Amino acid sequence: MKRPAKSAAELEALIRVEMEELCAWPTGMAVTVQPDGETWKANIMWGGRDTDENLIEILQAVVDRLRSEFDLAI
């Protein structure tokens, strides 16, 4: 069954909203969505700070769930 499609900007906004509900969104953090084969991936940019493993785990869970719900509109 085909999943609903969202634009990269829509997926980025969904990721950010969910992350803000789960934890504090760090200053200087940005997320971009791009195609990845038959699906999409999220890239995180975080102005040179140390990686927060807990934050990355939460983010990965959010992205995995959204990837299972939505395709990337190309």
Side-chain angles (χ1 to χ4, degrees), residues 33-45:
V33 169
Q34 65 185 45
D36 186 31
E38 297 292 317
T39 188
W40 55 272
K41 66 180 180 178
N43 294 308
I44 305 307
M45 291 151 285

Side-chain angles (χ1 to χ4, degrees), residues 8-9 11-17 19-20 24-34 41-49 55-56 59 63:
L11 290 168
E12 292 160 6
L14 285 171
I15 292 167
R16 186 172 181 117
V17 165
M19 287 295 293
E20 287 175 343
W25 185 264
T27 301
M29 181 178 258
V31 62
T32 60
V33 169
Q34 65 185 45
K41 66 180 180 178
N43 294 308
I44 305 307
M45 291 151 285
W46 193 2
R49 296 178 184 226
L55 182 69
I56 299 302
L59 180 63
V63 169

Side-chain angles (χ1 to χ4, degrees), residues 46-59:
W46 193 2
R49 296 178 184 226
D50 292 333
T51 303
D52 180 334
E53 292 299 322
N54 187 45
L55 182 69
I56 299 302
E57 289 177 15
I58 295 168
L59 180 63

Side-chain angles (χ1 to χ4, degrees), residues 15 40-42 58-68:
I15 292 167
W40 55 272
K41 66 180 180 178
I58 295 168
L59 180 63
Q60 188 61 52
V62 168
V63 169
D64 288 346
R65 189 186 59 70
L66 290 173
R67 190 181 300 119
S68 73

